[in-house]
Each structure stands twice: as structure tokens, then as C-alpha cells.
Amino acid sequence: MYLHTRNRHRWVAGLVLAGSLAWAVVAPAGEHAAPAYQVSSIPAEPLLIDPPKLPDLSPYTAEAANARIVRKPVGNVVLKRMIGPDQLVEFTGGDERLREWVKRQGEMPQAIFIEGGYVTLKDLARSLPKKYFEETEPGIYIARLPIVVSQGATLHVGAETRDFRLSSERGAFLINDGKLFIMYTRLTAWSETENQQDWFKKKGKFRPFLNAWGGTETYIVNSVVSSLGYTASKSYGVSISQYSPAMHPTMQRDHPSGWLIGSMFDDMWYGFYCYEAYDVVLKGNTYRNNLVYGIDPHDRSRRLIIAENTAYGTREKHGIIVSREVNDSWIFNNRSYENTLSGIVVDRSSVNNVLANNEVYRNGSDGITIYESGDNLLWGNRAFNNARHGIRVRNSANVGLYENLAVANGLLGIYGHVKDLVGTPRDLVLDPFDMNLSLTVVGGRLIGNESGAISVVSPQSVKLYGVEMLMPTQPSGIGIFGALAKDQSRIIDLLVRQKQAVLVLPLDKLAQLQVSDKQ
């Protein structure tokens, strides 16, 4: 049994058992009447929809990215103080962050600025003293100052570069405020003291990073990016971020964008992060052994394509997560496995997204988790051998689960529930929520999940049609528990024997609908 305490009453929910179909409906003990539900058959036809039309990935290629490079005019390379330029305010504001660069540079902090046109690493090496930027071996370059690609400029790091190293000891990092192309090469946080990649050692320790600001284009293609990022703001690893709310009125830049395709990201604080970015494409990348997240699009990003990526071994949290109003996006044909928490998460009012044909397995929590994010479609995903649920949906209305497969998960194949988040650390102004849950589950197979096939706690509605539930792991077989126990035989009869669609509604909602129909 699950126990939930609220307003000094004990709320009790029945749990699905034994590969069974069950709705667990909460009811307060004592004086309050238990919610009652009506089970009925409905036409199946309105529940049937076509498979989602997924974006065409063929335009997003290395050749197409290369065609976007404008090589004339040739740009200029200049040194400027770090204090003052708008692109660096985020990183020099406050005594602590400014002190970081003073300590590492040993002088008034400076940065390398690329302005006015096209520049390569060879151009940087010719233009700067070796103490700031050096080609240490043929094709291997090290930056010992931050680099800023200014608006209207382009930095191209191409196949002639074997490794582009950012010195940790000297506080180097890379800011794109124009166009950045990293193609057929490596970008590495580098420890000069140890003469090796700057592998993660402890939280809070500075490591180089890449951040692209509003109005920019960033292309990382067929490359390896390693060991970037730490805990400070906009310094997470590879970030594509609109200017902060304080800066945006001054800068007035459009939303940033970019393509990251065919590349490897490993030992990053975040493998990828974005903020208010539009039309970013993450295609065919591998996110391996990153610290907090593999892929983490965030606040108010839209129309993202996250496709054909592999995310595994994330050490703290999830393989792939979209959070806080990441809307109108596509997450499909990805593999996310052996992450410490969930394989894929949709979180905090992220709506109108399609998750299709993803494979999530051997994750330490759920395969796919939907938190406080309604109006999303999950189609044809495969969740197996996850430690908790195959698919979990919390406080989310109008979520469609179509043709999904959940096999041998540690708890349930599908678990839908509500939860009161008042009193948790959640900022309820920034991240409001409603305790509403409604699911449509059509097709798919729920096989051999340890605690049962499906459980739905306190739904506003549930619609089911054509779901196969096989190989119960408990000897009690198919059962329906909680407030719907009396309707067990009817539900099984409708769903399995008659092959009809089933609708479950609270009686008070059913009465409201009947009154509305009469009016």
C-alpha cells in the first residue's frame, strides 16, 4: 500500500499486483466519503490516431553545416579586458568570479576577441603571443585565455585541428556571440600541470566550458568534446543560452540555435544545456559518463529535435531531461540506459512534445518519467529492466500512451498518480502544478513487470483500449484493486473478451458531464 498524509488524514491507495490491470483510487480514511468511479465502454474509433509525423532529419548533415560557413571577410584578433564587454558580464560579475580569473591569469584579466569575420585556430596562433595561445604540436592548440567570438564573426575549428585544448589552470573558456563551427576535431578541457584531459575530480572546481549567447549559431559536428563544465551559472559544459533577463533588454537578441550532430560528449558537468533556445537539433550524438545530465534543455526552449542520440552512464541524474516549458519538441529514436535516475524525463509544464520510438533500459529509476507536464504523446517507446516503473506520469493531464512496450521493470509497467507538492522545496511561483491526471492508453504490451502492469491513482479520467498484459510475475494473476474492485470482472470483460475501449470517470465528473449535456 502507498500512504499519503495530507490535512491530517491518511490517504490509502491500492497497488496493482501480479501483471494485472488495476486502478488504485485514493480515499481518505474516516469521515470523508471515498471517491467513486464509473466504468463504461466507449467507442474505440475516437481513440485511434495516426502515428506522429516526425521531423525529417535529412537536412541536418555535416555537408549542410559546412555549407553554412562564410569564409570572407577575414576577421581580426584582439586582446581586451574581461571587465566591461557584454558577453562576459555573466562571468565577471561579483567578486568571487572575477577573483577566479585574476588568480588564474596573474594579471588584470584579459580575453581574446574574434571580430569582423572568419578566423581559424591557425590565425589565432599567428596573431597572439604563445603565453596566450599556442600550437604545441602540429594540429594541437591550447588557449590560455577566454575566447569570445563576437557578433558578426565566425570561428572555425576544422579537421586540420587534432585537439583544441582549453587550459584549466589559466581559466580558459569559449564564448560564442556570433557563429561557431567545431567540425571533425576535438575540444578538450586540459590540465597543463598534469598534461592530460582535466577529468572531473570534485564538485565546484573550475573547468573550462562553452557557452553560446542569444542570436548565435553553434555547430558541433563529428567531433569529441570532453571534460567541460562545472557548477557556476552558464558554465555547465556545452550551453546554448539566451542572455539573462537582466541583459536581454539591452542586447535584444533573437533566440540562439545550433546543430550538434554525430559527436561524442563525455565527462561533462552537463553533456548539453540550453535556455530559451529555439530549433536546436541534437542528432546522432553520444553522451557518455557525464556528471549531472546527459541532455538537459531547459526554460522556454521550443521546437527542439532530439533524435538518434545515445545517453548512458550519467552519474547523478537522468540521461535525457527537458524541463520548465520546453514545448513543441520531438524526442525520438534515442537510447538512454544505465543512468543513475531516469532514462528520459519531461518535467515542469513542458507541453505538446512527442516522445517516439525511444529505448530506455537498465536505468536506476524509471524508463520514462512525466512530471507536471500535460498534453504530451508517448508513442512506440520501449522501456525494460528499469529499477522502478517503465513509464511514470504524475500530475499531468491529457497524456497519450500509444503502442508502448514495458517489460520486466522493477515495479509497474505504467504508473499514473497525483502528488501534492506543497511543502516540498519546489518554487511554486516559478513551477506551479495541478493535481490533475488523465491518461489515454492505447495498444502496446505490458509484460512481466514485477509489481504489475498498470496502476492509476486518483485520475480525472482513464481511457484504455487494446493493451496486452502478459506473463504476470505474481501467482494471484489478473486483479483490480482499490475502489474499482467491484468492477473487476466488467473491466476485464470489456477490455479483453469484448475488445472494447474502457472509460473510467469519477462519478462527480460524470454527473457534471450529464448536466452539461442536458443544458
Side-chain angles (χ1 to χ4, degrees):
M1 305 291 279
Y2 287 109
L3 300 182
H4 174 55
T5 303
R6 185 185 180 208
N7 296 334
R8 293 179 298 165
H9 295 291
R10 190 177 62 152
W11 294 65
V12 181
L15 176 66
V16 178
L17 298 175
S20 60
L21 162 70
W23 311 175
V25 181
V26 298
E31 66 214 353
H32 298 281
Y37 283 79
Q38 174 70 46
V39 175
S40 59
S41 66
I42 57 172
E45 188 67 26
L47 304 184
L48 304 179
I49 62 175
D50 292 330
K53 185 177 169 78
L54 302 174
D56 179 12
L57 298 178
S58 63
Y60 308 110
T61 65
E63 294 75 17
N66 188 67
R68 295 185 171 213
I69 301 174
V70 178
R71 291 173 168 80
K72 292 184 179 180
V74 174
N76 301 310
V77 179
V78 296
L79 291 174
K80 296 182 182 180
R81 287 189 173 185
M82 288 181 66
I83 301 172
D86 292 327
Q87 304 97 327
L88 297 177
V89 167
E90 182 77 29
F91 311 105
T92 58
D95 292 342
E96 184 175 344
R97 295 204 83 174
L98 183 59
R99 197 161 43 237
E100 184 83 55
W101 319 125
V102 173
K103 178 181 70 175
R104 292 179 183 278
Q105 293 188 24
E107 57 188 358
M108 179 59 70
Q110 298 183 93
I112 300 163
F113 280 74
I114 298 168
E115 299 177 338
Y118 174 85
V119 167
T120 67
L121 297 192
K122 185 70 76 175
D123 298 325
L124 288 173
R126 283 196 296 258
S127 303
L128 295 164
K130 289 185 177 181
K131 70 174 183 175
Y132 296 140
F133 193 94
E134 183 181 5
E135 184 175 14
T136 58
E137 300 176 35
I140 297 178
Y141 297 87
I142 189 158
R144 299 189 176 103
L145 292 180
I147 298 174
V148 178
V149 184
S150 301
Q151 188 176 18
T154 296
L155 175 61
H156 178 201
V157 185
E160 69 283 356
T161 298
R162 292 163 49 205
D163 198 0
F164 178 20
R165 297 171 176 174
L166 303 176
S167 171
S168 292
E169 287 84 356
R170 296 282 291 171
F173 57 88
L174 183 56
I175 299 297
N176 180 24
D177 202 38
K179 293 185 179 181
L180 174 63
F181 295 83
I182 298 173
M183 305 180 66
Y184 299 99
T185 186
R186 295 183 63 97
L187 174 64
T188 310
W190 192 258
S191 170
E192 293 192 83
T193 302
E194 299 177 358
N195 194 33
Q196 66 173 1
Q197 180 175 326
D198 190 7
W199 298 98
F200 175 78
K201 295 180 180 65
K202 66 178 182 177
K203 186 175 182 178
K205 176 184 175 294
F206 171 84
R207 292 197 305 176
F209 56 89
L210 186 167
N211 184 74
W213 284 126
T216 63
E217 297 177 26
T218 301
Y219 301 87
I220 301 177
V221 179
N222 295 344
S223 295
V224 176
V225 182
S226 296
S227 294
L228 300 188
Y230 71 121
T231 53
S233 175
K234 309 299 183 184
S235 306
Y236 306 131
V238 170
S239 302
I240 296 179
S241 175
Q242 180 57 281
Y243 275 99
S244 67
M247 292 291 295
H248 184 58
T250 301
M251 305 304 292
Q252 289 294 308
R253 296 287 179 80
D254 200 0
H255 295 276
S257 190
W259 299 356
L260 284 68
I261 57 180
S263 296
M264 166 74 78
F265 301 85
D266 76 294
D267 191 51
M268 311 278 282
W269 185 246
Y270 293 6
F272 174 81
Y273 171 85
C274 69
Y275 171 91
E276 294 187 355
Y278 283 15
D279 303 302
V280 174
V281 177
L282 308 180
K283 172 193 166 188
N285 303 299
T286 298
Y287 296 84
R288 178 182 68 186
N289 299 333
N290 297 298
L291 275 303
V292 182
Y293 301 110
I295 297 172
D296 180 28
H298 232 274
D299 304 54
R300 297 172 295 283
S301 295
R302 293 188 61 199
R303 298 191 303 271
L304 310 180
I305 296 174
I306 303 171
E308 299 182 354
N309 302 285
T310 298
Y312 68 93
T314 307
R315 288 179 245 178
E316 287 193 13
K317 296 188 179 181
H318 316 295
I320 301 171
I321 178 173
V322 300
S323 183
R324 194 173 291 138
E325 299 179 56
V326 177
N327 301 337
D328 309 314
S329 297
W330 296 268
I331 303 171
F332 63 98
N333 294 351
N334 301 287
R335 287 195 308 151
S336 187
Y337 64 94
E338 295 176 359
N339 301 290
T340 296
L341 293 181
S342 293
I344 300 176
V345 178
V346 178
D347 183 40
R348 300 181 191 229
S349 303
S350 296
V351 303
N352 198 32
N353 300 296
V354 174
L355 284 67
N357 307 323
N358 300 290
E359 193 169 272
V360 288
Y361 56 95
R362 295 201 300 270
N363 294 290
S365 185
D366 308 318
I368 297 175
T369 306
I370 311 294
Y371 281 161
E372 290 76 54
S373 296
D375 298 300
N376 289 298
L377 173 64
L378 281 63
W379 184 289
N381 301 288
R382 299 173 297 282
F384 54 93
N385 290 119
N386 297 288
R388 293 184 64 79
H389 310 291
I391 299 172
R392 178 181 181 183
V393 182
R394 185 182 77 188
N395 295 342
S396 302
N398 193 32
V399 174
L401 306 178
Y402 281 74
E403 304 298 341
N404 298 289
L405 174 68
V407 180
N409 295 289
L411 294 177
L412 296 153
I414 295 172
Y415 177 41
H417 67 118
V418 297
K419 182 177 181 180
D420 188 351
L421 301 178
V422 174
T424 69
R426 187 187 187 95
D427 184 333
L428 298 179
V429 175
L430 185 62
D431 297 311
F433 74 98
D434 293 313
M435 290 175 63
N436 291 331
L437 174 69
S438 56
L439 300 178
T440 300
V441 184
V442 175
R445 308 174 82 195
L446 309 175
I447 304 173
N449 298 287
E450 288 296 321
S451 295
I454 181 169
S455 174
V456 184
V457 178
S458 295
Q460 291 297 306
S461 71
V462 179
K463 299 172 184 176
L464 250 112
Y465 178 65
V467 185
E468 290 187 62
M469 289 165 283
L470 306 172
M471 297 173 61
T473 61
Q474 306 283 342
S476 52
I478 293 176
I480 297 176
F481 299 88
L484 293 181
K486 64 184 179 66
D487 292 308
Q488 170 176 304
S489 60
R490 175 164 169 74
I491 292 172
I492 299 302
D493 181 65
L494 290 171
L495 189 68
V496 179
R497 190 179 67 82
Q498 298 188 43
K499 300 191 182 305
Q500 293 188 31
V502 173
L503 171 65
V504 181
L505 280 180
L507 283 181
D508 58 352
K509 185 173 181 180
L510 183 63
Q512 292 171 8
L513 291 174
Q514 289 169 342
V515 170
S516 177
D517 289 342
K518 289 178 181 178
Q519 292 174 345

